[in-house]
Amino acid sequence: MAQIFISAGHGGFEDGVVDPGAVLPNTTEAAEMIQIRDLVVAELRSRQLAVLSVPDDLSAAATLGWINARCRPEDVALEIHAGVFSDPAVRGSAVFYIAKNDTRRTHAEIVLLALLRRIPQVPSRGVKPDTESPTGMLPFCRNLGCPSLLMEVGYLSNPQDLAVIQRQRRDVALGIADGLASWSRAVGSGTPVAPGDNLPEIRINLNGGIYPETGIIVNGNAYVPIDIADLLGVDATSSPNITRIRYANVVYIKAVDLQNYNVTVTWDAPSRTIRLRSRTGAQFCPGSMDRIMGIGSTSDTQLTLFLQSVNPGAVNTYRDLPKLYREEAAIEGVNHDIAFCQMLVETNSLNFGGSINPAQNNFGGIGSPTGGPEGSSFPSARVGVRAQIQHLKAYGSLDPLVQRQVDPRFLFVVRGIAPLVDQLSGRWSADPEYGRKIMAFLRRLYDSIVPP
């Protein structure tokens, strides 16, 4: 009998401290999701389905290990979360699936539709590949041995979503239970592959040429021989972020995991071909992709097209912004690709909604020189971009400024202390994932312009 695993996402111990998830004045994400999870478990068991509730005292990594120790290919696993955002108008439900997996995308649609049927007053934010998550990948979607999805039920910071979560908790649980039951049937209706069975083969296109070996499909995910990683300059032998399996005496790795190592991964369904291209072949140098000081690789048009894909409504309002970033960054020697992606993180993709408003022209979220809560303001978009570029240069270089200083906090930075993007985490922003969020946008940008 197929099993269903469900995790509340938070509540366990991370580094010896209880992780409550998002914290609100009268509740926490963990408290809300655990209550919903318990109702889902009870409902599924009343339908005679085999369901396992992940213990609440496990860390995120231990949760994956706990499920992997028990799951089989015909099982399914769901983790439920709730969002919090500075703009209380942001709301809605979404389901994330592992990128480049059309089967899992269909599963995500099944689960989300079932939820919204029970709570139609909550808007849909759609199903999304995990590359569109803030950090660019979700371990729960990627690192389990059975099909898995991550659901955001709604936003606790939105009064309407919070009311549904707290006052219609049973409806939410019934919607999730409906989706899990349908998803489990969809997975079980296939023919699970046993260890001794033959796996479907796929072709591999490596940097524009056909690779002589074939890949395989496991649980809807493309796997390629590990030797390909060596050709791409990736050490896949011990990285915890790359899934490895052994099949027919060959070690294979999950192709989508290579995206975190400057490799573009695309799937051509008609020809059943996985296409892998090293970004070094498109002038993206490994080891310098995350270096603040350098030369960007994108044109004004490419940045505009990327902005359109992220926030179509911002293109007309901010049509000059790509040009400003390229010009101002070139003067100071800063990588304009990184600066542009940092802007997307700081401004919520130019949706704003936080402590900074559009009229401030503060695209880098630079604080006030006096430490006030409102942040700095600049007289024009160009000056605002220039201030962000100068602040990046303060962190990334010891060289003097070329233009007159407009960054009000330039002199407060220990010069050259953070030459790499990830080193901005805890410095520019208190968010420990800050650098990863910038790099997630950067990978999406490069994936959007590198030819398949």
Side-chain angles (χ1 to χ4, degrees), residues 98-141:
I98 183 171
K100 315 299 180 184
N101 190 321
D102 290 341
T103 301
R104 203 71 68 247
R105 180 182 62 193
T106 300
H107 294 162
E109 291 169 348
I110 291 172
V111 171
L112 181 59
L113 180 60
L115 174 67
L116 297 178
R117 281 174 176 160
R118 293 282 188 172
I119 49 170
Q121 65 272 48
V122 175
S124 171
R125 292 169 46 231
V127 300
K128 303 173 182 291
D130 70 333
T131 47
E132 293 188 16
S133 67
T135 56
M137 62 89 71
L138 296 171
F140 195 89
C141 293

Side-chain angles (χ1 to χ4, degrees), residues 49 79 88 92 98 105 163 175 234 264 438:
L49 294 170
E79 186 161 270
I98 183 171
R105 180 182 62 193
V234 177
T264 297
I438 296 173

Side-chain angles (χ1 to χ4, degrees), residues 102 316 409:
D102 290 341
N316 289 331
R409 300 191 63 81

Side-chain angles (χ1 to χ4, degrees), residues 18 20 40 58 70 142 188 267 296-298 433 443:
V18 174
V40 173
L58 298 181
R70 294 163 174 80
R142 297 199 173 204
W267 170 248
S297 302
T298 57
E433 302 287 348
R443 292 188 183 95

